Amino acid sequence: MTKFVAVAALIAGIWVPYLALLAPLGVVGYFVSAIGMHIRAQDFGQNLFLNATGMLALSIGPLVLDFVRISSV
């Protein structure tokens, strides 16, 4: 459900610029929490390094792009 709301907010962010900044910020927070939970559970395998960390790296891109877009307005 969280991922669906994030995708809907990213799409709606095309028309509402500040929503476009908040959506990827929430997604980044989600993956930071996921990494924290993997570390807490001592799961240092593929789930942490490939899945959670990789998705965090990919979700930082839209956050940076949206920040640049909003700051130029």
Side-chain angles (χ1 to χ4, degrees):
M1 183 67 175
T2 303
K3 293 176 187 177
F4 177 76
V5 171
V7 169
L10 284 171
I11 292 171
I14 294 171
W15 298 281
V16 183
Y18 292 103
L19 186 60
L21 183 61
L22 292 175
L25 189 62
V27 173
V28 167
Y30 173 80
F31 284 114
V32 167
S33 298
I35 290 171
M37 291 296 107
H38 282 288
I39 291 171
R40 184 174 179 194
Q42 298 180 352
D43 178 18
F44 299 111
Q46 176 183 358
N47 288 331
L48 171 64
F49 290 108
L50 184 62
N51 297 346
T53 308
M55 291 306 293
L56 174 64
L58 288 175
S59 63
I60 289 175
L63 178 63
V64 171
L65 290 174
D66 288 335
F67 182 74
V68 169
R69 183 179 80 151
I70 289 175
S71 64
S72 68
V73 170

